[in-house]
């Protein structure tokens, strides 16, 4: 089964743990990828065809935006544009799209099983987003329409997908692996002087 293959890949990866402010930050090193998992984030980086590390792809958490200088003439996007991010809970995958001032009845959230993606669109044609669920893709699990739900509050659309039991089991196994790691704290670096 593909879920077991993914567990084996993560278990065989070289892992480093850092404990900062009581929170664990785990880094997985594998020949094909480099993954950084923090308390609220998951980022991936893969090598390019030339062997150089690529840019970070944020999978879970808020993307890091580099602020432009206050007096610069740089063109930047409007702060009222919709912001798409993923914030998971213990039992569901959750995506939040901020700055969407429409009512709930304007939104249509559907699933396209053949393309393995979720589609969000509005009836007024002001917003359209198509995205996949990487966790299900990695584990090669099918999409289930009954697990999908959405709500709208405070100009934020929240789309939830209940995690399948295979993913919950995978996360429990990974949590056991993480607890076995001995992490280093901020001041625990072993510096020997000559």
């Amino acid at each position: 089964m593909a879920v077991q293959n993914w567990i084996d890949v993560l278990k065989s990866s070289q892992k480093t743990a850092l404990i900062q402010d009581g929170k664990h930050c785990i880094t997985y090193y594998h020949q094909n990828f480099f993954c950084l998992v923090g308390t609220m984030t998951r980022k991936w980086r893969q090598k390019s065809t030339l062997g150089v590390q690529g840019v970070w792809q944020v999978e879970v958490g808020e993307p890091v935006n580099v602020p432009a200088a206050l007096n610069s003439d740089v063109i930047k996007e409007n702060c009222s544009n919709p912001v798409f991010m993923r914030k998971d809970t213990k039992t569901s995958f959750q995506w939040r799209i901020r700055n969407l001032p429409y009512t709930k009845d304007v939104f249509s959230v559907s699933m396209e099983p053949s393309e393995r993606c979720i589609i969000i669109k509005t009836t007024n044609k002001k917003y359209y987003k198509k995205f996949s669920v990487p966790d299900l893709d990695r584990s090669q699990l099918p999409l289930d329409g009954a697990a999908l739900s959405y709500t709208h509050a405070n100009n934020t659309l929240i789309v939830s997908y209940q995690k399948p039991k295979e993913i919950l089991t995978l996360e429990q196994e990974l949590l056991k692996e993480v607890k076995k790691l001995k992490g280093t704290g901020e001041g625990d670096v072993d510096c020997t002087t000559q």
Side-chain angles (χ1 to χ4, degrees), residues 104-115:
K104 184 179 178 181
D105 59 326
V106 171
F107 295 100
S108 167
V109 179
S110 61
M111 193 174 291
E112 187 61 49
S114 63
E115 295 183 33

Side-chain angles (χ1 to χ4, degrees), residues 68-69 71-77:
N71 294 329
S72 70
D73 293 331
V74 177
I75 297 175
K76 62 180 185 174
E77 69 179 289

Side-chain angles (χ1 to χ4, degrees), residues 140-155:
Q140 297 177 355
L141 294 171
L143 291 173
D144 179 20
L148 186 65
S149 64
Y150 70 98
T151 186
H152 186 270
N154 301 324
N155 287 344

